């Protein structure tokens, strides 16, 4: 329906940051800031028509500027882990920040979640949408190439958040953009997600090492706790003692999505029996990280004065596979100079 803009706060350098509220005619609303492209809240109805905020986040701008769990943020240049914080392109080795043990996580010390994006409200056939652009300089966080990035957020009339990702580079580089929203369909402040039921459209996942890095093995989910081909409650798998669960300290794995590469396909569906809210995820990307909020423990600056315990929310991050520079049989996250990176992910909310 429309987008409202207001001042959200200022960065330490005094730069203004804005909060945009995307609304549709059914009353759904999504707040997004141009700091990190962060989704601050998602207000959608439950079965009885009651609205609740189903995404985790802070109560103000300041805590988003500190290191944290990446609530709702755009992640780049490379979502998830790069082993030993280095990769090679065209015979040159690039050394990145080791910000997760000896590995690189979510774009480094100051990833796309911590930068100010240039915001613009634009018109599309679906109404007003929020366009965010960012120029990442050659050598930023040690990644090669000047990268022009654009992310368009649209809230549709049928309660879907559409996220379109675009990027172009002047030097061969790596690009793996995602959004790190944490969902709790009972409401962001309602406790944990253990009773949510999840379906993932994938017959295989990428098995991880004790450090949580894909080893290269693409393993069948059938008969294991990683099998979400049909709706399954999340809690029992977490309590199972399965080796992969121990390595990830919970679910923190990439699933290899079924279906055609680069076409928009259903990737996952989440159902909360309490509120009877459902969320479908569609994407053009080859993988999805289901992260069950294993390291959450946030007691301050949470929206509505809430506290987030371990597993207060879960992420469904669409992506190229983690560590995909090392395993050449994984889809390649390399973007060559002159090529266009273009992906779409949709989070659609409904009750049924
Ligand atoms: C990763 C987790 C990590 C978390 C950070 C997720 O995308 O898979 O391993 O701890 O992000 O909040």
């Amino acid at each position: 329906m429309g987008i409202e803009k207001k001042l959200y706060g200022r960065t330490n350098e005094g730069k203004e940051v804005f909060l945009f509220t995307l609304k549709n005619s059914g009353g759904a609303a999504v707040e997004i800031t141009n700091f990190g492209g962060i989704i601050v809240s998602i207000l959608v109805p439950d079965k009885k028509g009651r609205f609740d905020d189903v995404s985790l986040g802070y109560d103000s701008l300041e805590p988003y500027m500190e290191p944290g769990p990446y609530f709702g943020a755009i992640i780049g240049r490379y979502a998830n882990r790069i082993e030993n914080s280095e990769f090679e392109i065209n015979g040159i080795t690039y050394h990145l920040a080791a910000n997760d043990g000896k590995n690189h996580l979510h774009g480094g010390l100051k990833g796309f979640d911590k930068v100010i994006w240039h915001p613009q409200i634009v018109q599309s056939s679906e109404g007003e949408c929020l366009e965010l652009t960012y120029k990442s300089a050659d050598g930023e966080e040690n990644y090669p190439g000047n990268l022009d990035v654009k992310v368009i957020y649209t809230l549709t009339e049928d309660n879907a958040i559409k996220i379109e990702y675009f990027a172009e580079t002047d030097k061969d580089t790596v690009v793996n953009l995602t959004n790190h929203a944490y969902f709790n369909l009972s409401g962001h402040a309602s406790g944990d997600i253990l009773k949510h039921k999840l379906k993932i459209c994938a017959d295989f996942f990428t098995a991880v090492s004790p450090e949580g890095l894909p080893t290269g093995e693409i393993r069948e989910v059938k008969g294991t706790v990683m099998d979400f081909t049909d709706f399954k409650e999340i809690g029992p798998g977490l309590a199972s003692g399965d080796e992969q669960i121990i390595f990830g300290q919970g679910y923190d794995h990439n699933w290899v999505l079924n279906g055609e590469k680069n076409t928009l396909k259903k990737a996952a569906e989440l159902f909360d029996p309490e509120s009877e809210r459902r969320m479908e995820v569609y994407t053009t990307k080859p993988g999805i990280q289901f992260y069950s909020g294993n390291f959450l423990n946030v007691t301050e600056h949470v929206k509505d004065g809430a506290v987030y315990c371990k597993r207060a929310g879960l992420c469904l991050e669409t992506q190229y596979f983690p560590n995909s520079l090392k395993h050449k049989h994984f889809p390649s996250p390399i973007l060559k100079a002159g090529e266009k990176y273009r992906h779409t992910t949709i989070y659609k909310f409904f009750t049924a």
Side-chain angles (χ1 to χ4, degrees):
M1 203 169 68
I3 300 184
E4 283 163 20
K5 176 183 177 182
K6 67 174 186 201
L7 188 66
Y8 191 39
R10 283 191 168 76
T11 63
N12 297 335
E13 299 79 40
K15 287 211 173 108
E16 287 186 327
V17 170
F18 299 95
L19 188 69
F20 297 85
T21 309
L22 289 63
K23 286 185 179 160
N24 70 15
S25 56
V30 178
E31 288 179 311
I32 299 169
T33 171
N34 64 310
F35 181 84
I38 292 168
I39 296 179
V40 171
S41 68
I42 302 174
L43 208 64
V44 285
D46 69 5
K47 184 94 174 180
K48 297 187 178 111
R50 279 189 308 234
F51 283 80
D52 228 320
D53 179 358
V54 297
S55 85
L56 277 56
Y58 292 123
D59 61 0
S60 55
L61 172 64
E62 288 70 26
Y64 284 115
M65 299 194 290
E66 303 298 324
Y70 303 90
F71 288 138
I74 298 172
I75 307 293
R77 288 193 194 186
Y78 191 91
N80 215 285
R81 291 180 175 79
I82 296 179
E83 189 167 349
N84 291 329
S85 306
E86 60 180 31
F87 66 92
E88 195 195 295
I89 296 184
N90 301 337
I92 303 170
T93 301
Y94 295 93
H95 301 277
L96 306 169
N99 59 336
D100 187 64
K102 58 184 175 27
N103 305 314
H104 180 79
L105 178 69
H106 292 335
L109 301 175
K110 191 176 177 186
F112 292 177
D113 58 298
K114 294 274 183 292
V115 302
I116 297 184
W117 293 67
H118 175 71
Q120 225 182 321
I121 297 169
V122 296
Q123 278 291 338
S124 80
S125 56
E126 288 162 301
E128 284 188 338
C129 39
L130 178 64
E131 181 184 287
L132 300 175
T133 50
Y134 178 65
K135 280 183 183 300
S136 173
D138 187 11
E140 185 177 312
E141 285 290 329
N142 277 356
Y143 286 98
N146 290 296
L147 190 75
D148 280 319
V149 196
K150 181 163 83 181
V151 173
I152 301 179
Y153 283 111
T154 308
L155 173 65
T156 66
E157 278 299 304
D158 60 351
N159 292 355
I161 302 172
K162 181 161 82 175
I163 312 176
E164 293 166 281
Y165 301 90
F166 306 80
E168 280 183 62
T169 177
D170 59 1
K171 208 193 259 183
D172 297 359
T173 190
V174 299
V175 185
N176 185 17
L177 305 173
T178 195
N179 180 282
H180 209 290
Y182 288 75
F183 302 99
N184 184 326
L185 297 183
S186 281
H188 79 102
S190 66
D192 63 50
I193 45 74
L194 300 185
K195 292 225 156 6
H196 279 45
K197 290 185 177 169
L198 178 65
K199 180 174 172 176
I200 304 179
C201 306
D203 296 327
F204 295 88
F205 76 105
T206 50
V208 298
S209 69
E211 272 180 293
L213 281 157
T215 57
E217 184 195 351
I218 294 182
R219 194 181 290 175
E220 208 171 349
V221 297
K222 206 174 179 171
T224 77
V225 294
M226 313 309 271
D227 189 349
F228 286 95
T229 49
D230 271 327
F231 279 102
K232 192 168 79 178
E233 204 175 281
I234 290 165
L238 288 171
S240 67
D242 179 271
E243 187 180 67
Q244 283 294 305
I245 296 289
I246 291 168
F247 288 173
Q249 300 190 43
Y251 288 108
D252 191 0
H253 298 76
N254 169 73
W255 272 257
V256 178
L257 293 172
N258 294 338
E260 282 290 299
K261 247 178 39 187
N262 287 319
T263 56
L264 195 65
K265 57 197 169 290
K266 190 160 161 183
E269 189 170 339
L270 189 63
F271 172 59
D272 168 35
E274 199 184 306
S275 63
E276 298 186 65
R277 284 193 186 92
R278 288 176 184 270
M279 181 182 79
E280 284 175 340
V281 187
Y282 295 84
T283 192
T284 56
K285 296 180 200 161
I288 195 165
Q289 186 85 8
F290 164 36
Y291 168 55
S292 54
N294 312 320
F295 307 115
L296 279 176
N297 176 19
V298 188
T299 54
E300 284 184 314
H301 309 301
V302 168
K303 291 182 288 188
D304 305 321
V307 166
Y308 295 144
C309 58
K310 182 171 169 171
R311 312 216 160 102
L314 63 88
C315 301
L316 290 164
E317 304 154 66
T318 58
Q319 60 182 6
Y320 283 86
F321 307 171
N323 208 17
S324 55
L325 291 144
K326 170 148 185 200
H327 304 299
K328 303 294 174 211
H329 58 295
F330 286 1
S332 171
I334 291 176
L335 182 71
K336 296 217 163 82
E339 279 180 0
K340 289 185 194 318
Y341 175 99
R342 168 100 223 244
H343 280 291
T344 302
T345 294
I346 295 172
Y347 296 100
K348 182 170 187 267
F349 299 88
F350 57 106
T351 58

